[in-house]
Amino acid sequence: MDGMGPRSVALFRAPSEKTRNGDVTFPFRQSSDILYLTGFAEPESALVLCPGAAKERAILFVRPRDPERETWEGRRAGPDGACRDFGVDAAYPIQELSTRLPTLLAGVDDLHYSLGLDAELDAQVASLIARMRLAERRMGSPPKRVVDPRCILHELRLRKSPEELEHLARAVAITHEAHVAAMRAAKPGAWEYELEALVNYTFRRHGASGPGYDTIVGSGDNATILHYTENDALLAAGTLVLIDAGAEFQSYTADVTRTFPCGGRFTPPQRRCYEIVLRAQEEAIRMTRPGVTIDDIHERTIEILVEGMLELGLLQGTVKERIADGSYRKYYMHRTSHWLGMDVHDAGAYLTDVGRARPLEEGMVITIEPGLYIPRDDSAAPDDMRGIGIRIEDDVLVTDDGHRNLTASIPKKPDDIEATCRG
Ligand code: GLY
Ligand code: MN
Ligand code: MN
């Protein structure tokens, strides 16, 4: 609210519940913006911030108490509970949002509101502004500008406070348990979904709300599919297993990938490929510090990976040539880093106002996740490397003088991985 100034209002609404099938809905997850600002997790709610108001500067709109509905659907805070427990100055039934909005917006210069996410509310806001234009003398002036919450709120979300880092540390500790448990359980004859169940069980068992995104367990050439989530194949001896899974704790998610051999020993070609990805990943982590950009990290990662692709015989020529013609993208097609926090691909601008990659700052958390994915049907690749998919992903905090790898303790060196798998 300090950043917005007094002649502005911010409006956030919870996403609507989504039908899964019939009358069943997907589990509800509150918008991260509302969670960040209030911790209020119920659906059918909205938050309005009015920095210039004398009394009601933060207002929640929530479902009213309803004993019968609560018997069927679960407890509600109601306006009184919302006011008491979530740090706002006032709370009203959600039905009153549309009737109170005209007064809240009257005479305000800037409306901080994220267009394009909620078509129904977009239309309501647009038609309200149109009505205020026509009836300015009766209703007050409409907002002059609609400002994206990226400008202030998401800049705040991008730099993590000590309390947020504590939640993330807990998410990471739980994620550690789950990855180690999965490595131990990944014997030939197990199913990918058994490992998925074990990972998600381990998350819940330790108090996480669950995975922060769908758990990926890809064995064999399923590991070459970046967001593989079928997880329904049988683990074969001698193949690699890629698990990309992160626990969500207090709304903060870890995002960790480990790749390990089913049966506990890398074959020589698997180990050669693995060591190249690890070399790139370790170098990328080493260079992470304030002032460096995510693009710098990505470019250096690509250099090391392309060097490795030449060593492995996947590509021919020089590093420069293969980077210039982009042919490495056949084996490494995604970016190396993204912001991490309440959303796995967290809020925050990647570019500065002049369109350049922004320098990292203390308190930002990024992933570093190089990979190497050799398609099963790639006749250009050496026989014994086809179908190998590897990704190694850690979560890295930018500190004042460098970085801290939050997920460093999850086994990653080939010998440590083999020991864990056989442990
Ligand atoms: N788990 C999604 C990602 O690594 O970006
Ligand atoms: Mn990631
Ligand atoms: Mn991931």
Side-chain angles (χ1 to χ4, degrees):
M1 286 200 273
D2 288 345
M4 289 161 62
R7 292 179 63 87
S8 58
V9 162
L11 168 63
F12 307 92
R13 187 161 81 160
S16 59
E17 292 191 87
K18 304 288 184 299
T19 300
R20 179 180 183 275
N21 64 301
D23 61 353
V24 179
T25 52
F26 285 103
F28 177 75
R29 167 56 156 75
Q30 182 61 286
S31 106
S32 294
D33 284 344
I34 294 180
L35 283 176
Y36 180 82
L37 291 165
T38 67
F40 191 75
E42 290 182 29
E44 295 181 74
S45 55
L47 174 69
V48 178
L49 301 179
C50 314
K55 282 212 192 92
E56 300 189 353
R57 300 176 76 224
I59 307 168
L60 268 172
F61 291 85
V62 305
R63 299 176 301 185
R65 298 293 311 269
D66 181 334
E68 193 190 335
R69 295 285 292 277
E70 287 181 55
T71 299
W72 287 88
E73 297 164 5
R75 297 185 179 89
R76 301 174 172 190
D80 290 346
C83 228
R84 187 182 63 232
D85 298 333
F86 295 92
V88 292
D89 305 310
Y92 300 103
I94 184 69
Q95 292 76 7
E96 293 183 22
L97 176 65
S98 53
T99 51
R100 289 180 180 270
L101 214 44
T103 314
L104 292 168
L105 292 190
V108 151
D109 288 340
D110 292 352
L111 170 61
H112 292 253
Y113 172 69
S114 192
L115 281 167
L117 299 178
D118 181 336
E120 192 186 73
L121 190 55
D122 287 358
Q124 253 188 65
V125 167
S127 96
L128 173 58
I129 289 175
R131 271 192 293 136
M132 291 173 81
R133 260 187 228 127
L134 295 177
E136 184 171 13
R137 282 171 290 183
R138 181 166 52 80
M139 298 179 75
S141 313
K144 296 186 173 77
R145 289 171 291 266
V146 177
V147 183
D148 198 295
R150 280 167 55 112
C151 299
I152 296 177
L153 180 63
H154 291 180
E155 287 296 299
L156 295 174
R157 282 181 53 192
L158 187 51
R159 297 172 184 86
K160 272 64 180 175
S161 68
E163 190 185 3
E164 294 181 276
L165 291 173
E166 272 174 37
H167 294 331
L168 200 51
R170 191 87 187 94
V172 162
I174 296 169
T175 300
H176 179 138
E177 296 291 324
H179 276 271
V180 166
M183 285 180 196
R184 297 213 165 108
K187 309 285 185 223
W191 294 86
E192 291 170 350
Y193 53 73
E194 288 183 72
L195 300 189
E196 176 194 346
L198 178 60
V199 164
N200 293 353
Y201 162 74
T202 307
F203 289 167
R204 287 295 278 152
R205 202 170 91 81
H206 289 94
S209 59
Y213 55 91
D214 286 343
T215 295
I216 297 168
V217 181
S219 66
D221 54 11
N222 293 335
T224 64
I225 302 168
L226 300 180
H227 288 166
Y228 172 80
T229 49
E230 282 103 335
N231 301 349
D232 59 0
L234 193 63
L235 269 57
T239 57
L240 292 177
V241 184
L242 181 156
I243 296 188
D244 184 345
E248 182 188 66
F249 184 80
Q250 293 286 323
S251 310
Y252 289 80
T253 188
D255 181 11
V256 175
T257 308
R258 290 293 183 264
T259 309
F260 53 90
C262 170
R265 201 173 290 284
F266 286 100
T267 65
Q270 287 169 353
R271 194 181 256 256
R272 287 180 70 206
C273 293
Y274 188 89
E275 279 174 345
I276 284 160
V277 179
L278 184 59
R279 199 193 306 157
Q281 207 244 5
E282 286 179 333
E283 170 67 13
I285 293 173
R286 242 194 316 276
M287 68 187 283
T288 301
R289 65 187 132 74
V292 166
T293 70
I294 277 183
D295 284 8
D296 297 333
I297 292 171
H298 184 55
E299 280 161 24
R300 182 73 190 115
T301 301
I302 286 173
E303 276 173 15
I304 299 171
L305 287 176
V306 172
E307 237 169 62
M309 290 173 199
L310 297 172
E311 275 170 40
L312 294 173
L314 294 170
L315 298 177
Q316 278 71 44
T318 68
V319 171
K320 244 185 163 158
E321 287 165 357
R322 295 298 73 86
I323 290 179
D325 70 7
S327 48
Y328 68 86
R329 289 201 190 96
K330 177 166 157 196
Y331 304 112
Y332 183 53
M333 60 298 282
H334 60 77
R335 306 285 300 185
T336 304
S337 301
H338 55 79
W339 309 131
L340 181 71
M342 298 187 111
D343 297 332
V344 63
H345 298 153
D346 205 29
Y350 284 97
L351 302 179
T352 64
D353 289 343
V354 290
R356 297 222 181 87
R358 73 188 294 167
L360 293 175
E361 294 169 42
E362 181 181 359
M364 294 177 175
V365 179
I366 61 171
T367 64
I368 297 191
E369 50 177 308
L372 184 66
Y373 312 93
I374 307 170
R376 164 69 61 200
D377 60 0
D378 179 21
S379 51
D383 253 355
D384 55 5
M385 288 180 192
R386 295 180 197 169
I388 287 182
I390 295 165
R391 177 161 67 255
I392 309 173
E393 175 172 30
D394 280 314
D395 304 340
V396 179
L397 167 69
V398 182
T399 59
D400 59 345
D401 60 349
H403 64 266
R404 186 149 53 86
N405 181 358
L406 305 175
T407 47
S409 66
I410 306 176
K412 182 167 78 171
K413 299 222 178 289
D415 292 345
D416 294 343
I417 284 189
E418 289 186 347
T420 309
C421 290
R422 287 190 263 121

